[in-house]
Every structure is written in structure tokens, then in C-alpha cells.
Amino acid sequence: MKLPVFVGGDHSVTYPVLRAYDDLEELHIVQLDAHLDFSDSRNATRFSNSSPFRRAVEDVPGLKQITVVGLRGLRTNPEAYQAAKNRGHTLITARTVRENLHGVLERLPKGQRVYISFDADVLDPSILPGTSSPEVEGLSYTQAMAVVRQTVTQNQLVGFDLVELAPNLDPGGLSALVGARLLAEVLACWAG
């Protein structure tokens, strides 16, 4: 039993990783993220940390559904949100998680092959300040792990990434500790 785990870099690294799953007939992504990362282009480029999932749905034939949990912030791209909604993706805000975690857990995929992409900025910056795009009012560690655990236990996890973690932006070292704990818990849940 093997699980590919990818750590590091900005979210643009997820796109080439997902291309390795192009032989699966069906793939569902659960993306924990403050930002949608579904822009068509940014700063005149189609390949950036703002577009990995847009590129992936264009290039990975079996990628049918994305569930994004933890969305928030002032920097939104209306075209990207509309494009994601038009494709039928499930978009869940951080506020919805705080108000009804049980309801959010019910909306997660069941019985699917799932790849989890965990952007460090989904967590509140008081828990994980070491990321390049922090957004206030993020998820607690407990909320984020509830989403991860539920996803892992009711699906076949085929890959996991932790991105946008920048320990150099957190001189206190909390972000690196939280990232290491997250990886350990994901692996324990998967092996469990």
C-alpha cells in the first residue's frame, strides 16, 4: 500500500502532480484552501499558483469534481468562481465550516478516488502564520482535520499535498510544527 505525498512549493506545483493521475477513470479533489486557485490567467500567465485546478480540469480526463473547503478573503476572481460553479464544483466558505461543520462533512465525497490538496492558508494565521497569502478568519486545526479525516475514511485516498507552507515567514517556528503534525496525522489516518 503506497500513498504519494508531496510537500512544498506554492500551489502551482499541484498541477503537474495531478497530471500523473491522468490514467484514472475518475478522480475527485478535496481542496482545503482560502483561495479558489481556478483563475484562467494571472499577470498574463496561465500557469501560476492561481490556476492549478483550472489547468488540471482541462488536462486530466478523469477529474470530474472538486470540493473546495475554507474559501474566504477579499481577493476573489468573479470569473474563476463562475467557471468553477459552471463545472459543478462544490465551493464551501470558512464561515460555513464554522457555522455547520457537520453539514460540511456531509457534503464531502463518498466512495471515490480522492486527492487532497491542503493549502496552508486554509488555517487561520494565528495557528499557521507562515504562508505567503494569509487570510483572517481561517479554519481551526480541528475543523481542517475533521474534513481531512472524513475524506480519508470514506474514500480511497490516492494522493496528498501540503503547499504554500513558508516556515521562513514564521520566526517562532509554529508553522513548521503544525505542518509536520498535519502530515503525521494524515498518514496515520490513511494507514489506520
Side-chain angles (χ1 to χ4, degrees):
M1 195 161 63
K2 296 178 183 176
L3 177 69
V5 175
F6 306 92
V7 181
D10 70 28
H11 224 154
S12 64
V13 303
T14 300
Y15 165 64
V17 168
L18 289 173
R19 290 186 65 193
Y21 292 87
D22 67 356
D23 60 337
L24 295 181
E25 287 185 29
E26 192 163 327
L27 177 66
H28 191 119
I29 294 174
V30 173
Q31 173 189 351
L32 289 94
D33 204 328
H35 310 103
L36 188 57
D37 296 349
F38 205 75
S39 297
D40 190 38
S41 67
R42 179 177 174 200
N43 299 329
T45 183
R46 293 173 41 88
F47 299 93
S48 73
N49 65 342
S50 294
S51 63
F53 299 101
R54 185 74 163 258
R55 299 294 79 85
V57 297
E58 294 169 350
D59 290 346
V60 180
L63 178 49
K64 305 296 184 197
Q65 180 70 31
I66 300 175
T67 299
V68 188
V69 180
L71 293 167
R72 65 189 189 283
L74 301 174
R75 296 171 288 169
T76 61
N77 178 332
E79 185 279 332
Y81 273 82
Q82 193 58 52
K85 289 178 97 172
N86 290 347
R87 289 193 62 90
H89 299 317
T90 302
L91 310 179
I92 302 171
T93 65
R95 174 180 282 171
T96 301
V97 174
R98 286 192 302 274
E99 293 173 354
N100 186 9
L101 177 60
H102 178 74
V104 169
L105 297 178
E106 289 295 314
R107 296 174 67 186
L108 295 173
K110 296 174 182 71
Q112 309 267 337
R113 285 186 176 134
V114 173
Y115 181 99
I116 297 176
S117 185
F118 194 106
D119 187 319
D121 67 26
V122 75
L123 295 173
D124 191 82
S126 64
I127 300 165
L128 195 149
T131 186
S132 62
S133 300
E135 297 280 0
V136 298
E137 297 185 327
L139 301 188
S140 71
Y141 186 85
T142 300
Q143 291 164 337
M145 279 308 303
V147 171
V148 170
R149 275 191 209 95
Q150 185 84 356
T151 301
V152 172
T153 57
Q154 64 190 21
N155 295 283
Q156 178 189 355
L157 186 63
V158 298
F160 179 88
D161 69 45
L162 171 60
V163 296
E164 300 286 349
L165 178 62
N168 60 309
L169 298 177
D170 177 11
L174 179 61
S175 300
L177 178 64
V178 170
R181 178 176 170 175
L182 171 72
L183 290 168
E185 287 197 56
V186 168
L187 291 172
C189 184
W190 169 75

